[in-house]
């Protein structure tokens, strides 16, 4: 069954886009078109495969991410989602009051984090997931309902109007971008003044040999390892305050509020 983007959600998502496209495709709006994708790295090619969306949420992400966060000591997926809602100023699923926030999930994949964010938003809110992979978005649209919409677009040059979102989330993708700092610039641009951003990305252990090793891994796979101060410094340089950071063995979570 082809997923359907409800007319009301479709109209609300279109209003956020700088150049709205035609009719939805497989339940999402496509602003990239058939020839807009650059040649991917090895890691990007894996993310765009047709097989990965089938195993991503149940196997690929929980196993890989939880190990990188220090399983069994580190937080599991549910705790990760709860942290994202908390640091973005959203509600938890059981809360009576939920904000009518407009939230963007950058590089949303099959929509697992997108749906977790939607659980913290009130009925007048809107959560938008963005990704470049057809297969991921088709799976995301098929598994989502309510005030959730999806867009196929470029995460490094977000196709949305400036000052559109109350909160932006980018979990498990910054290390895949050819220009991660341009992506952070774009996330800051689409945030409203006072809006919140949270990023889950890789972390390079603080050992002298780790930098050489991470550079080698990055050159072969396209996965970049970030130092403990790289992402926090990038947010500070772009006008974010009230920074928070949690560090795990091979991952880190960084969040901040854009200065009004």
């Amino acid at each position: 069954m082809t997923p359907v983007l409800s007319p009301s959600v479709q109209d609300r998502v279109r209003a956020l886009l700088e150049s709205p496209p035609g009719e939805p495709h497989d339940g999402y709006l496509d602003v990239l078109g058939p020839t807009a994708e650059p040649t991917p790295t090895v890691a990007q090619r894996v993310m765009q495969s047709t097989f990965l969306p089938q195993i991503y949420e149940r196997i690929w992400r929980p196993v890989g991410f939880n190990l990188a966060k220090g399983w069994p000591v580190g937080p599991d997926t549910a705790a990760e989602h709860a942290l994202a809602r908390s640091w973005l100023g959203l509600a938890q699923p059981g809360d009576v009051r939920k904000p009518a926030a407009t939230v963007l999930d950058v590089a949303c994949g099959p929509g697992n984090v997108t749906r977790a964010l939607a659980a913290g938003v009130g009925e007048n809110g809107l959560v938008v997931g963005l990704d470049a992979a057809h297969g991921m978005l088709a799976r995301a649209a098929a598994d989502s309902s309510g005030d959730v919409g999806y867009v196929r677009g470029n995460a490094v040059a977000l196709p949305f109007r400036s000052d559109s979102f109350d909160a932006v989330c980018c979990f498990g993708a910054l290390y895949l971008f050819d220009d991660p700092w341009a992506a952070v610039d774009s996330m800051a641009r689409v945030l409203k003044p006072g809006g919140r951003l949270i990023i889950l990305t890789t972390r390079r252990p603080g050992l002298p040999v780790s930098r050489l090793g991470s550079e080698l891994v990055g050159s072969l796979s396209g996965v970049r390892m970030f130092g403990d101060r790289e992402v926090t410094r990038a947010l500070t340089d772009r006008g974010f305050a009230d920074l928070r950071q949690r560090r795990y063995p091979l991952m880190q979570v960084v969040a901040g509020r854009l200065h009004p």
Side-chain angles (χ1 to χ4, degrees), residues 176-194:
L176 296 174
F177 300 153
D178 295 331
D179 190 343
W181 309 129
V184 176
D185 286 335
S186 196
M187 294 177 212
R189 179 186 63 80
V190 302
L191 266 177
K192 297 176 182 178

Side-chain angles (χ1 to χ4, degrees), residues 12-20 104 158-165 186-192:
R12 295 174 68 190
V13 176
R14 284 180 181 278
L16 299 173
L17 291 165
E18 293 180 319
S19 299
L104 174 63
L158 293 169
F160 302 100
R161 300 178 186 274
S162 299
D163 305 336
S164 292
F165 294 94
S186 196
M187 294 177 212
R189 179 186 63 80
V190 302
L191 266 177
K192 297 176 182 178

Side-chain angles (χ1 to χ4, degrees), residues 61-229:
R61 197 178 193 284
V63 172
F65 277 53
N66 289 351
L67 287 174
K69 290 180 293 183
W71 183 89
V73 178
D76 61 12
T77 301
E80 177 187 311
H81 291 168
L83 181 68
R85 289 188 292 262
S86 175
W87 284 13
L88 289 177
L90 307 180
Q92 299 301 334
D95 293 345
V96 175
R97 294 185 178 181
K98 297 181 180 180
T102 302
V103 183
L104 174 63
D105 183 18
V106 177
C108 65
N112 50 308
V113 176
T114 317
R115 295 191 300 275
L117 297 174
V121 172
E123 61 181 16
N124 294 321
L126 175 67
V127 180
V128 181
L130 176 136
D131 205 281
H134 288 290
M136 289 290 192
L137 288 171
R139 181 60 183 265
D143 290 345
S144 295
S145 60
D147 293 328
V148 179
Y150 291 96
V151 173
R152 180 170 175 260
N154 189 339
V156 178
L158 293 169
F160 302 100
R161 300 178 186 274
S162 299
D163 305 336
S164 292
F165 294 94
D166 299 297
V168 173
C169 176
C170 181
F171 266 28
L174 192 69
Y175 49 81
L176 296 174
F177 300 153
D178 295 331
D179 190 343
W181 309 129
V184 176
D185 286 335
S186 196
M187 294 177 212
R189 179 186 63 80
V190 302
L191 266 177
K192 297 176 182 178
R196 303 187 187 191
L197 170 66
I198 188 168
I199 295 171
L200 170 66
T201 191
T202 52
R203 174 179 178 257
R204 183 177 64 245
L207 301 173
V209 71
S210 67
R211 186 176 188 90
L212 179 60
S214 64
E215 290 176 353
L216 178 60
V217 170
S219 65
L220 294 174
S221 67
V223 174
R224 176 169 178 165
M225 302 296 288
F226 294 97
D228 286 346
R229 297 183 181 180

